[in-house]
Amino acid sequence: MAASAAAGVQMVAARPCISASQGIHAARVAVSRTDCMLSTTATFPKISCSWPLDSKRNGVLVRAISGESGRQGLPIDLRGKRAFIAGVADDNGYGWAIAKALAAAGAEILVGTWVPALNIFETSLRRGKFDESRKLPDGSLMDIVKVYPLDAVYDSPDDVPEDVKSNKRYAGSSNWTVKEVVESVKNDFGSIDILVHSLANGPEVTKPLLETSRRGYLAAISASSYSYVSLLQHFLPIMNPGGASISLTYIASERAIPGYGGGMSSAKAALESDTRVLAFEAGRKGKIRVNTISAGPLGSRAAKAIGFIEKMIEYSYVNSPLQKELLADEVGNTAAFLVSSLASAITGSTVYVDNGLNTMGIAIDSPTITS
């Protein structure tokens, strides 16, 4: 499976699936251009406004709903839903943040972890290493119901080469190809409602495209984009109608990002194109919505493989319309919204969560501009 997509710069220099995950707090989604926002207190979001109770605003009666009132506002309610998140192997990237957001909204969480990282991940969970970052808004800990070994580069056992089968990092694990994992989930739980693809890999990511080999290029496409097609293809028969699927992409799909090489920009472009096609096909075939989140850079372990992620984070901070740190929580919150009934008419979309960096045409910290 590929190294899980870290932040906006989702890549890794090894073939693994090092997950993109990080802690998440309450979901906050702006619902108007004024002071009113959707926020999560405990499990359910409530509308809270800075306007006076029962105040008139543009002729419309506005009533603030306080956290203590006990009355429920507009909820992101995923109770009774089951989510499978592919690409979680630690607690510091986008995959983990998405898992926490879905859990906070009431979803049951299953994760797929790259096989060589499985032992470390499960041991860390068992020993409480992730307990602090597992905390949900209501004070409870996120419960990962089951962790499945997964390598999304391989669709079935017949696809696995002998050198991988005999690799000691895979010793002791079984049923980890896409087909086998889906069969295991079906046997264990019957069905799912939500599929999250949070993994990517480019073995030659540090190489310019002109120096990328055919093997490295195709490996990036296989691990970072076709893996999503395969996962949705195999999970679709056991996804409940009305469900949703999301993936993580990066703006290098449409803009030149020097240093994001090895075919990874092409892989992200393919992922976004596939999102639109899959939205039509999965929508017609299974009433499943398909979207992708284009996230800004995050300093996760996987993203650090490219070597300049800190510079990308600094660039984003300086040049984005919203000059603030981008949090994994914000991507998780967006994911929770996209898979909820609140987004029931949204599919085939690339949703940017990058403090607005994608809207900029020039770098305002350029010496030419600053002078």
Side-chain angles (χ1 to χ4, degrees), residues 300-312:
S300 67
R301 293 186 184 94
K304 290 177 180 177
I306 62 170
F308 65 99
I309 185 63
E310 297 301 332
K311 291 182 180 179
M312 290 300 296

Side-chain angles (χ1 to χ4, degrees), residues 301-358:
R301 293 186 184 94
K304 290 177 180 177
I306 62 170
F308 65 99
I309 185 63
E310 297 301 332
K311 291 182 180 179
M312 290 300 296
I313 293 173
E314 181 182 2
Y315 177 90
S316 177
Y317 180 85
V318 172
N319 293 287
S320 295
L322 298 178
Q323 196 172 19
K324 67 178 185 62
E325 179 186 4
L326 177 67
L327 303 176
D329 302 13
E330 294 167 309
V331 171
N333 296 341
T334 302
F337 162 71
L338 286 173
V339 302
S340 76
S341 60
L342 297 181
S344 59
I346 301 175
T347 193
S349 297
T350 298
V351 179
Y352 297 93
V353 184
D354 62 357
N355 288 329
L357 185 63
N358 72 92

Side-chain angles (χ1 to χ4, degrees), residues 168-295:
K168 64 180 182 180
R169 296 189 298 173
Y170 287 75
S173 294
S174 61
N175 301 322
W176 42 260
T177 64
V178 173
K179 181 180 179 180
E180 292 172 303
V181 170
V182 174
E183 289 175 348
S184 296
V185 172
K186 181 180 179 180
N187 291 334
D188 293 339
F189 299 97
S191 64
I192 67 169
D193 303 277
I194 299 162
L195 173 64
V196 178
H197 177 275
S198 177
L199 54 94
N201 174 62
E204 298 181 17
V205 67
T206 58
K207 292 184 178 181
L209 190 57
L210 282 174
E211 297 175 15
T212 299
S213 69
R214 181 184 296 271
R215 182 176 181 178
Y217 183 94
L218 294 178
I221 295 288
S222 173
S224 308
S225 52
Y226 185 76
S227 59
Y228 185 40
V229 176
S230 179
L231 282 165
L232 186 54
Q233 177 187 114
H234 287 84
F235 267 112
L236 188 61
I238 67 166
M239 290 187 73
N240 295 316
S245 181
I246 56 174
S247 62
L248 290 168
T249 185
Y250 180 50
I251 198 173
S253 62
E254 55 186 281
R255 309 285 175 84
I257 307 292
Y260 193 79
M264 282 301 302
S265 57
S266 305
K268 291 303 182 183
L271 182 66
E272 292 179 19
S273 178
D274 292 343
T275 294
R276 293 184 286 272
V277 177
L278 292 171
F280 172 78
E281 295 183 357
R284 292 299 180 93
K285 189 173 183 178
K287 294 182 172 58
I288 301 299
R289 295 181 296 105
V290 182
N291 294 290
T292 188
I293 297 174
S294 184

